[in-house]
């Protein structure tokens, strides 16, 4: 029964993040800049300002960490320059965050599988998380990487091989969003 509930929660998270993804919310300037920079990197190997494969992207006089920009590149290459190409990585990461929260709570409270279901359900329906999962925003990627890093760190307490994966995940979060620093 709990496996069915878990699957239903993941399906709900998927539907809430992917339904009419190209329509809601309206494409904003930051997302357009991410898509254009990904397109520019595909075409020229340079961003909109002529910088070759930058780590940080200048966008409206704001310097954004580049990990999400690079995640968008394969989607722009395959789907073209559109809302879906910019948003699919964020929506997928949003669903994966719901999955990771389930396993994180299981790691913290081993005998209470119901808590994992409750936590993942609450994240799956959280208006904040749905909003940031449906747009091309870096905060969603950072949330996923930090949550995954904490989970891997806790796994590393029992098996040290997870420490390296945790360190890599936390390091990647530094290139996802400024708050991670």
């Amino acid at each position: 029964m709990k496996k069915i509930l878990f699957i239903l929660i993941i399906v709900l998270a998927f539907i809430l993040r992917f339904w009419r993804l190209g329509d809601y919310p309206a494409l904003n300037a930051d997302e357009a800049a991410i898509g254009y920079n990904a397109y520019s990197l595909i075409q020229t190997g340079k961003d909109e300002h002529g910088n070759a494969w930058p780590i940080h992207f200048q966008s409206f006089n704001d310097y954004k960490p580049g990990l999400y920009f690079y995640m968008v590149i394969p989607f722009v290459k395959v789907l073209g320059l559109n809302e879906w190409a910019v948003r699919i990585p964020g929506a997928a990461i949003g669903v994966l965050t719901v999955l990771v929260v389930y396993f994180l709570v299981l790691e913290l409270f081993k005998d209470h599988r119901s808590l994992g279901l409750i936590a993942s359900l609450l994240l799956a329906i959280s208006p904040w998380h749905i909003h940031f999962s449906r747009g091309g925003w870096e905060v969603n990627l950072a949330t996923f990487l930090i949550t995954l890093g904490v989970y891997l760190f806790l796994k590393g307490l029992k098996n040290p091989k997870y420490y390296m994966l945790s360190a890599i995940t936390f390091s990647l979060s530094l290139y996802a969003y400024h708050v991670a620093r």
Side-chain angles (χ1 to χ4, degrees):
M1 178 65 172
K2 290 186 179 183
K3 285 184 181 181
I4 293 171
L5 284 174
F6 176 66
I7 291 168
L8 289 173
I9 290 168
I10 298 302
V11 169
L12 175 65
F14 183 87
I15 291 168
L16 290 174
R17 283 153 182 79
F18 279 91
W19 180 74
R20 297 186 70 184
L21 186 62
D23 298 331
Y24 301 109
L27 188 73
N28 67 40
D30 286 335
E31 291 175 294
I34 290 169
Y36 180 74
N37 277 294
Y39 177 79
S40 180
L41 286 169
I42 292 166
Q43 297 298 316
T44 67
K46 296 180 180 180
D47 70 357
E48 66 181 293
H49 297 283
N51 301 314
W53 302 101
I55 294 174
H56 291 86
F57 287 80
Q58 180 182 355
S59 181
F60 306 108
N61 276 336
D62 179 22
Y63 290 84
K64 298 181 183 327
L67 186 57
Y68 193 80
F69 288 75
Y70 288 106
M71 284 183 61
V72 169
I73 288 174
F75 296 93
V76 170
K77 179 76 173 167
V78 171
L79 300 173
L81 188 56
N82 60 52
E83 291 92 344
W84 279 88
V86 174
R87 292 180 172 175
I88 285 175
I93 289 295
V95 174
L96 288 174
T97 305
V98 172
L99 181 75
V100 171
V101 163
Y102 173 77
F103 289 111
L104 173 61
V105 172
L106 282 185
E107 191 65 30
L108 289 169
F109 306 101
K110 299 203 184 313
D111 297 333
H112 301 286
R113 180 165 259 167
S114 298
L115 288 177
L117 291 171
I118 292 167
S120 60
L121 175 63
L122 290 174
L123 187 62
I125 63 171
S126 164
W128 176 89
H129 196 257
I130 292 168
H131 174 73
F132 284 108
S133 295
R134 289 182 58 84
W137 291 297
E138 304 91 356
V139 66
N140 185 45
L141 177 58
T143 301
F144 168 74
L145 290 170
I146 292 169
T147 305
L148 181 61
V150 170
Y151 169 71
L152 293 170
F153 179 81
L154 292 173
K155 294 283 286 183
L157 295 174
K158 290 182 221 135
N159 186 345
K161 72 178 181 182
Y162 288 101
Y163 282 136
M164 182 57 73
L165 292 172
S166 175
I168 291 168
T169 304
F170 281 131
S171 297
L172 284 173
S173 75
L174 301 176
Y175 297 98
Y177 193 56
H178 293 296
V179 172
R181 296 181 189 166

